[in-house]
Amino acid sequence: MKTRFLGSLEVSEIGMGCMGFSHGYGKVPEESYAVQAIQKAYDFGCTFFDTAEGYGKEMFYPGHNEELVGKALAPLRKDVVLATKFHIGTTENRSDMVLYDVIRNHLENSMKRLKTDYIDLYYLHRLNEAVPVEEVAEVMGKLIGEGLIRGWGLSQVSLETLQKAHEVTSVSAVQNIYSMVERDCEKEIFPYCMEQHIGVVPFSPIASGLLSGKVTAETKFEGDDVREYVPQLSKENLAANQPILDVLGEFSKRKNATYAQISLAWMLHKYPNVVPIPGSKNQERILENLGAFNVELTAEDFAELETALDACTIYGHRGYVESEQNSFGNNWAK
């Protein structure tokens, strides 16, 4: 698999979102299966793995996902790029809070669970509106200087917030929702990131399964499966969004690729600084998604695909939520 850069971090052009092994998509697999899936992804060419301190087993075991990823990648640590995320909770924001100490504590706990003494890419998972992002950026700069992190990023942020942070300490990557049906980032985030050499790491690049063509009105979401709350996956919107799947179906036949692979190949072709992190708890699906790097779109293919997508109306737009106070459902889960 080819590589791309998130700031100065070189990663495989498609990464792996690991959240589903702990929560968010119903019943989680056995640990041995999850560890094997992560290692198979590496053997396939993936070197970029995404987790977070908040990805807990069925939401009741914070840190579970980091422990799982740490176990899977400990033997491969020097050959992979690890990304994790932290959040400053409202209870931590006291008048006597020393921000460096708070963030350092989160970082040390994550490193312990991930079995490493440094983190490659450390994200602020969501804004705490009471903590200026410039102050967070200043702490990140110190942690980079101390060698505890190699780069830092922001998740689900506006251009204004990104600019404030980047002016203090250079941001390596932005992790926002982005896919064929969630294209808000194209307006401001991508142009700025291209100009500033910042990577964009789309989560939910297959729109929670919508763009795989495998989710139907009969699909049942059980347990803590956040897809139950994704508006694009309601029965009404699944039917209304069928024209997008028809477009993918046509290109799928033409390129002998899956719908999901076409959707990933589209964004890889469109932006040189994009590194999607499709997530799945199914080994076969994980390798299928990573295989999108083999799908080549010509300039003519891409132009035709863009024209067809522009003609489609999106039903069930999700958008982004920047802060904890304004987040809910699937957007906060990721």
Side-chain angles (χ1 to χ4, degrees):
M1 194 183 303
K2 295 177 182 178
T3 60
R4 295 188 172 196
F5 284 89
L6 305 174
S8 63
L9 301 172
E10 187 173 9
V11 300
S12 55
E13 62 182 352
I14 303 174
M16 180 177 177
C18 299
M19 183 186 78
F21 294 125
S22 297
H23 82 88
Y25 292 95
K27 185 179 179 180
V28 300
E30 293 293 326
E31 180 181 279
S32 58
Y33 180 91
V35 167
Q36 184 184 60
I38 293 169
Q39 293 175 342
K40 281 186 175 181
Y42 171 78
D43 291 339
F44 194 81
C46 178
T47 62
F48 182 44
F49 297 86
D50 180 271
T51 182
E53 64 177 15
Y55 296 166
K57 190 172 184 179
E58 298 177 349
M59 298 296 285
F60 300 113
Y61 182 171
H64 173 265
N65 201 248
E66 287 183 324
E67 291 180 356
L68 189 65
V69 172
K71 183 174 184 177
L73 295 178
L76 309 167
R77 180 64 188 98
K78 294 182 179 179
D79 300 315
V80 298
V81 175
L82 280 178
T84 192
K85 314 175 195 71
F86 75 99
H87 174 68
I88 302 168
T90 54
T91 58
E92 295 178 286
N93 185 35
R94 303 185 304 269
S95 59
D96 62 344
M97 177 185 72
V98 178
L99 188 58
Y100 174 87
D101 293 343
V102 169
I103 296 177
R104 175 74 181 257
N105 183 59
H106 281 272
L107 176 61
E108 289 180 349
N109 288 333
S110 287
M111 289 192 297
K112 182 178 180 180
R113 290 187 290 262
L114 285 163
K115 302 182 186 302
T116 183
D117 56 3
Y118 68 97
I119 298 297
D120 298 288
L121 180 56
Y122 200 39
Y123 290 104
L124 178 64
H125 203 162
R126 291 291 185 275
L127 292 180
N128 181 321
E129 293 179 348
V131 181
V133 71
E134 297 94 332
E135 295 181 12
V136 174
E138 185 176 355
V139 171
M140 291 299 197
K142 292 179 180 179
L143 295 174
I144 291 171
E146 293 166 359
L148 294 174
I149 64 176
R150 296 176 61 203
W152 82 289
L154 295 158
S155 179
Q156 283 293 71
V157 292
S158 65
L159 175 61
E160 180 182 2
T161 298
L162 174 57
Q163 288 175 318
K164 288 179 181 178
H166 188 63
E167 288 172 2
V168 177
T169 300
S170 295
V171 173
S172 297
V174 172
Q175 184 176 133
N176 278 14
I177 188 170
Y178 179 67
S179 70
M180 284 181 167
V181 296
E182 296 289 349
R183 297 172 64 175
D184 290 350
C185 285
E186 294 181 359
K187 299 173 185 175
E188 296 181 333
I189 293 295
F190 270 109
Y192 180 78
C193 287
M194 289 279 288
E195 178 184 294
Q196 299 295 322
H197 305 291
I198 299 170
V200 178
V201 180
F203 74 82
S204 201
I206 307 171
S208 298
L210 170 67
L211 299 176
S212 71
K214 300 180 186 300
V215 179
T216 69
E218 287 69 47
T219 301
K220 302 295 183 183
F221 302 124
E222 300 176 347
D224 74 338
D225 200 319
V226 296
R227 290 174 294 180
E228 181 178 354
Y229 307 103
V230 174
Q232 289 153 0
L233 301 184
S234 70
K235 290 183 180 181
E236 297 79 8
N237 287 334
L238 278 172
N241 286 319
Q242 183 59 42
I244 301 165
L245 298 182
D246 293 341
V247 171
L248 286 171
E250 172 60 31
F251 278 85
S252 174
K253 293 175 185 177
R254 189 184 305 180
K255 294 296 181 180
N256 192 27
T258 67
Y259 288 29
Q261 287 174 338
I262 295 296
S263 69
L264 293 169
W266 164 80
M267 65 174 66
L268 290 174
H269 183 101
K270 188 164 189 173
Y271 295 110
N273 65 329
V274 71
V275 179
I277 49 168
S280 176
K281 59 182 183 179
N282 180 286
Q283 291 186 8
E284 181 181 353
R285 198 71 58 240
I286 290 166
L287 298 185
E288 174 193 315
N289 292 336
L290 292 174
F293 81 91
N294 277 317
V295 179
E296 292 188 14
L297 298 176
T298 66
E300 292 75 16
D301 289 332
F302 178 74
E304 184 181 344
L305 187 51
E306 283 278 87
T307 298
L309 290 173
D310 288 342
C312 295
T313 300
I314 308 303
Y315 295 87
H317 181 63
R318 289 167 64 186
Y320 77 90
V321 286
E322 187 169 62
S323 66
E324 176 189 24
Q325 289 84 345
N326 296 321
S327 56
F328 65 93
N330 191 41
N331 277 342
W332 175 244
K334 192 67 190 73

